[in-house]
Amino acid sequence: MQIKNKKIRNASITAVGMYVPEKILDNKYFESIVETNDEWITSRTGIRERRIMENGATSDMAAKACEDLFKTTNVKPEEIDAIIVATVTPDMFFPATACLVQEKIGAKNAWGFDLSAACSGFLFALQTGASLVESGSYQKVLVIGSDKMSSIVDYTDRNTCILFGDGASAVLLEPSDDLNYGIKDSLLYVDGSGKNALNMKAGGSALPSSHETVDQKLHYIYQDGKAVFKVAVKGMADISYEIMQRNDLKSEDVSYLVPHQANLRIIDATAQRMGISKDKVMINIDKYGNTTAATIPLCLTEYYRAGKVKKGDNLILSAFGAGYTWGAIYLTWAID
Ligand code: COA
């Protein structure tokens, strides 16, 4: 049972930043490498193009997103207390990508760690970061979603290669004594019985990398798309509705749904269940595809910078991903 605690302070997002690589792969490109077509990809997924990082790793994108964030705030890297990197494509198993980001951005007083929750990674990291801030022990926490999905995509598998892209985005969490703003509630879940439907089988302790695992392409993403679609569409819609219910939010109280961008049809079904219109749904899947942990903060950054999100707006963030993992967060936007 996830209890709504009485808080003495909230954690608020006080700055945002993003980075997407320059190289674009559009749907036409995929027509030249696998048997597919633009019409199929667009109508089944909503994706038109995605970005690909040619040189560099997840930590490089994350560091660039942080640098972009620091341009917009007076907070200096050395003031950061903690760095949480949500990713399924860490630079290495260890050290954690958070350590590499810490060095790259010069956050010399920070501790940090990576968080692995696939497409729900940003939500899990945001709630974890918020708890650090609400505890009173930490004042400035960077929460980053960064994934170089191209490093684990099999570009001969049409079922998955069209879906994913690379990108990173970061938010800064700081305490807010005014409880009208910031992160107000979260509902987060895991269910390991979904492990066989979406995974990367090799390279871990269960199946260490070997010639055989590479020959069998087990170091790439595997997804049973149909099975995942079924549970994702229900899971994301239900959790988004549930968090509205438990916070007495009606459709008209929600300024934006900020959904994980895996498939436009899943997003549409979630909005429908919440009773909110399309103009109140943040979308960037057409430009970036599924960037896993980065989709939600990329949406937040782009919509805020376009002047579409205002201080006081109520946002429902929701996601579903491998694990299974899923969840929703209710927050009130705190930046002018
Ligand atoms: N181009 C053309 N045809 C393709 C294709 C492609 N890129 N990829 C798959 N197909 C084919 C399939 O082989 C299948 O052919 P078949 O019927 O002859 O076997 C047919 O299209 C339909 O496949 P299906 O899996 O039913 O398509 P779909 O409508 O479910 O869409 C996904 C596929 C992957 C887009 C969809 O299942 C999905 O989005 N799944 C969930 C993704 C998700 O949320 N992941 C969690 C977070 S990462």
Side-chain angles (χ1 to χ4, degrees):
M1 178 71 183
Q2 302 189 21
I3 294 161
K4 272 183 76 181
N5 269 336
K6 270 216 156 64
K7 300 178 190 173
I8 55 166
R9 68 181 73 78
N10 275 350
S12 285
I13 294 175
T14 57
V16 292
M18 62 178 277
Y19 172 77
V20 289
E22 275 167 29
K23 183 169 174 149
I24 295 173
L25 295 187
D26 62 11
N27 290 349
K28 279 271 170 234
Y29 169 77
F30 286 88
E31 291 181 4
S32 70
I33 61 165
V34 289
E35 204 181 319
T36 190
N37 58 75
D38 178 34
E39 200 281 326
W40 191 96
I41 301 172
T42 310
S43 62
R44 298 293 182 105
T45 69
I47 301 166
R48 294 183 185 278
E49 53 188 48
R50 61 298 277 149
R51 302 299 179 103
I52 302 296
M53 180 90 167
E54 289 183 292
N55 299 306
T58 293
S59 70
D60 296 306
M61 293 195 295
K64 285 189 162 91
C66 292
E67 283 155 14
D68 183 50
L69 177 151
F70 283 121
K71 282 187 212 146
T72 69
T73 170
N74 293 327
V75 175
K76 303 269 174 297
E78 53 270 27
E79 292 175 65
I80 299 299
D81 299 316
I83 301 168
I84 308 175
V85 180
T87 188
V88 289
T89 52
D91 289 29
M92 301 173 249
F93 260 180
F94 67 88
T97 307
C99 303
L100 310 176
V101 174
Q102 176 278 331
E103 188 193 17
K104 283 175 183 160
I105 64 173
K108 59 183 186 209
N109 296 306
W111 66 292
F113 55 93
D114 292 0
L115 192 151
S116 172
C119 296
S120 308
F122 181 75
L123 294 193
F124 284 26
L126 190 65
Q127 177 52 45
T128 305
S131 301
L132 295 179
V133 170
E134 286 162 15
S135 74
S137 298
Y138 302 96
Q139 300 280 311
K140 293 176 172 41
V141 177
L142 275 177
V143 177
I144 304 164
S146 184
D147 268 304
K148 186 182 172 184
M149 297 306 290
S150 62
S151 66
I152 57 168
V153 163
D154 174 2
Y155 284 95
T156 65
D157 175 13
R158 70 173 182 174
N159 291 296
T160 52
C161 71
I162 53 131
L163 299 172
F164 297 98
D166 303 339
S169 184
V171 304
L172 177 64
L173 289 177
E174 293 185 88
S176 158
D177 292 328
D178 185 345
L179 299 182
N180 290 312
Y181 298 101
I183 291 155
K184 293 180 168 171
D185 193 22
S186 70
L187 281 169
L188 306 169
Y189 294 98
V190 300
D191 177 0
S193 69
K195 63 188 178 296
N196 295 326
L198 180 50
N199 57 38
M200 193 178 97
K201 293 183 180 63
S205 58
L207 198 55
S209 312
S210 65
H211 285 297
E212 286 74 32
T213 62
V214 173
D215 287 346
Q216 291 171 44
K217 300 186 168 191
L218 301 178
H219 58 300
Y220 290 132
I221 298 172
Y222 165 79
Q223 175 170 247
D224 177 348
K226 224 173 264 188
V228 176
F229 187 89
K230 242 194 214 158
V231 282
V233 82
K234 181 164 170 21
M236 228 168 94
D238 284 354
I239 200 84
S240 307
Y241 184 67
E242 200 185 325
I243 204 158
M244 283 173 70
Q245 295 281 91
R246 90 172 197 158
N247 289 282
D248 297 320
L249 292 170
K250 299 193 178 49
S251 312
E252 56 270 28
D253 301 323
V254 178
S255 311
Y256 278 104
L257 163 66
V258 193
H260 170 56
Q261 314 274 311
N263 188 310
L264 197 52
R265 291 180 289 150
I266 298 175
I267 295 171
D268 287 346
T270 303
Q272 204 171 4
R273 178 95 156 90
M274 296 167 73
I276 70 168
S277 54
K278 280 191 174 172
D279 57 315
K280 289 166 73 175
V281 183
M282 292 193 191
I283 303 283
N284 63 14
I285 191 171
D286 50 327
K287 293 191 294 183
Y288 305 133
N290 184 349
T291 54
T292 304
T295 61
I296 288 176
L298 280 173
C299 277
L300 290 174
T301 306
E302 289 200 322
Y303 274 71
Y304 170 65
R305 289 182 175 174
K308 293 179 182 167
V309 188
K310 301 258 157 25
K311 187 171 181 176
D313 279 354
N314 290 324
L315 310 183
I316 303 287
L317 285 46
S318 72
F320 192 97
Y324 295 123
T325 57
W326 71 103
I329 287 182
Y330 160 42
L331 65 85
T332 300
W333 195 250
I335 322 178
D336 273 322

